[in-house]
Amino acid sequence: MAPSLPALLCLGLCLQQMIPAQPGLLPKPSLQALPGSLVPLKTQVTIRCQGPPGADLYRLEKLRSGIYQDQPILFIPAMEERFAGCYRCSYQNGSRWSPPSDRLELVATGVYANKPSLSAQPSPAVSPGTEVTLQCRSQYSFDQFALYKEGAAAPQKGSEKQYWADFPITAVTVAHSGTYRCYSFSSKLPYLWSAPSDPLELVVTETSGTPRWLSAEPPSSVTEFPEASRKRSISLINKSSAIEPSRTTTVSPKGPESPAGLAQQHYTKGNLVRICIGVVILILLVGLLAEDWHSRKKPLPHRVRPIRRPLPPLPQTQKPHSQQDGGRPDGPNQGRHQ
């Protein structure tokens, strides 16, 4: 049994690669649209799915349409209404599929030629800590509106009444400075938006009256953009100062220190422990099988057949003396001649 232990250990290490891990342990991929998810009609856009190196297969699908492709990149040379929608992707390693990526809403803008108007009340130049309301107005009946800040991760949506929507900012900070646009669309066609409004520059000034965005230090804080009741809040990230135009932010794949990576390391250690326990059980089973096989190979002890000895003769019964003498009478005159 001693020479077989290294072989069993090697076998256990090999089986570790074949044991399927629990579902959901692979880090989910990232999905992004370049240059952005708001795409004017007849312009090009690229949808890219990115996962860890060495992925065997990628699947990029458009939800609610049944359309998918087994490629990580979808290049659209000219945006059309049929390409607008919600996308997600995943990848395969061996027999395991990763969890799906976050959903990407690809929006076609400019579908409706009439663009809404955007204004700031009371003024587009405000002081920190004050309140300002961005009002989006449309000439046509739309029940949905979206407010987008250049450089933000996603637009902020709102639906109050038809023809208009308000986006209040209760406590203005320097991070709210930037260029804003608004869009109008219908809830029945959530991925087909109107042309954007004219840009609105929101400036946050210092208490002394000097605009903060003229100072040397660019704002670096990240704050949330609050909404009115019944609206979800979406964080707006200000990546650069108001002098330089903001760039579209992209979602980078998770690094090795992400929670998914730490979870993968934890479950890998757990699989290694289970492998060791399996190897010990396998060694015990092999030992039992070898002992049983060895016991079957041993020759059976030779049984000596018992020697059958003849039984001793039965004792013969003595006949009466008279019969042995032929019936001659016994007497004192026996042997005498008369």
Side-chain angles (χ1 to χ4, degrees):
M1 295 296 293
S4 62
L5 290 179
L8 293 175
L9 292 177
C10 294
L11 178 61
L13 294 177
C14 295
L15 290 176
Q16 180 183 4
Q17 306 296 330
M18 301 174 61
I19 293 179
Q22 299 181 5
L25 296 183
L26 294 175
K28 66 180 181 180
S30 62
L31 185 63
Q32 57 184 350
L34 301 174
S37 59
L38 302 183
V39 188
L41 292 177
K42 300 181 181 180
T43 59
Q44 68 179 20
V45 63
T46 301
I47 302 178
R48 183 187 301 273
C49 179
Q50 188 171 1
D56 297 333
L57 178 67
Y58 281 92
R59 176 156 294 180
L60 178 62
E61 57 180 328
K62 183 180 179 183
L63 301 180
R64 298 183 181 180
S65 66
I67 301 175
Y68 69 90
Q69 67 174 23
D70 292 335
Q71 298 292 335
I73 298 176
L74 173 62
F75 175 71
I76 302 175
M79 184 64 181
E80 301 178 12
E81 295 181 8
R82 61 188 180 94
F83 293 119
C86 188
Y87 292 81
R88 72 177 180 182
C89 73
S90 56
Y91 64 91
Q92 184 181 23
N93 269 343
S95 60
R96 297 184 299 166
W97 280 95
S98 70
S101 64
D102 295 333
R103 295 187 177 186
L104 171 66
E105 295 184 351
L106 191 67
V107 177
T109 63
V111 177
Y112 309 105
N114 191 315
K115 61 184 180 181
S117 62
L118 182 63
S119 61
Q121 299 297 331
S123 172
V126 294
S127 301
T130 58
E131 182 178 355
V132 65
T133 301
L134 302 182
Q135 298 179 345
C136 188
R137 300 289 185 267
S138 176
Q139 298 179 359
Y140 296 93
S141 176
F142 290 101
D143 59 348
Q144 298 289 324
F145 295 86
L147 180 67
Y148 180 73
K149 178 187 176 185
E150 290 185 358
Q156 180 185 1
K157 298 179 182 179
S159 58
E160 291 187 4
K161 298 180 180 180
Q162 293 184 347
Y163 301 101
W164 61 275
D166 288 344
F167 298 90
I169 305 176
T170 56
V172 177
T173 62
V174 178
H176 292 120
S177 299
T179 303
Y180 292 84
R181 292 180 173 87
C182 75
Y183 301 82
S184 57
F185 60 97
S186 173
S187 58
K188 297 180 180 180
L189 300 172
Y191 305 112
L192 302 179
W193 291 7
S194 67
S197 65
D198 294 332
L200 172 67
E201 188 74 19
L202 184 64
V203 179
V204 181
T205 61
E206 295 284 358
T207 55
S208 60
T210 304
R212 176 63 181 269
W213 54 271
L214 294 178
S215 60
E217 297 181 359
S220 58
S221 61
V222 179
T223 60
E224 292 186 356
F225 194 94
E227 291 188 14
S229 59
R230 297 176 288 109
K231 300 177 184 179
R232 59 191 181 105
S233 60
I234 302 176
S235 61
L236 298 176
I237 303 173
N238 184 16
K239 296 187 63 180
S240 61
S241 63
I243 298 177
E244 297 180 358
S246 302
R247 297 180 180 178
T248 303
T249 58
T250 58
V251 181
S252 59
K254 293 184 178 181
E257 298 299 328
S258 63
L262 294 177
Q264 185 177 8
Q265 295 178 3
H266 173 73
Y267 283 102
T268 301
K269 293 180 181 179
N271 285 338
L272 183 59
V273 173
R274 287 190 287 271
I275 285 296
C276 295
I277 296 175
V279 168
V280 173
I281 296 175
L282 184 61
I283 291 174
L284 294 177
L285 292 177
V286 171
L288 293 176
L289 292 176
E291 183 179 358
D292 180 71
W293 177 80
H294 184 67
S295 62
R296 292 175 181 271
K297 295 292 292 183
K298 288 183 179 180
L300 296 177
H302 181 69
R303 298 181 180 179
V304 180
R305 294 184 178 181
I307 301 176
R308 296 184 179 181
R309 297 180 179 179
L311 297 176
L314 297 175
Q316 296 182 358
T317 58
Q318 296 181 355
K319 296 181 180 182
H321 188 70
S322 59
Q323 294 180 1
Q324 292 179 359
D325 294 341
R328 289 179 297 179
D330 294 336
N333 297 326
Q334 184 178 356
R336 292 183 180 181
H337 298 281
Q338 294 180 355

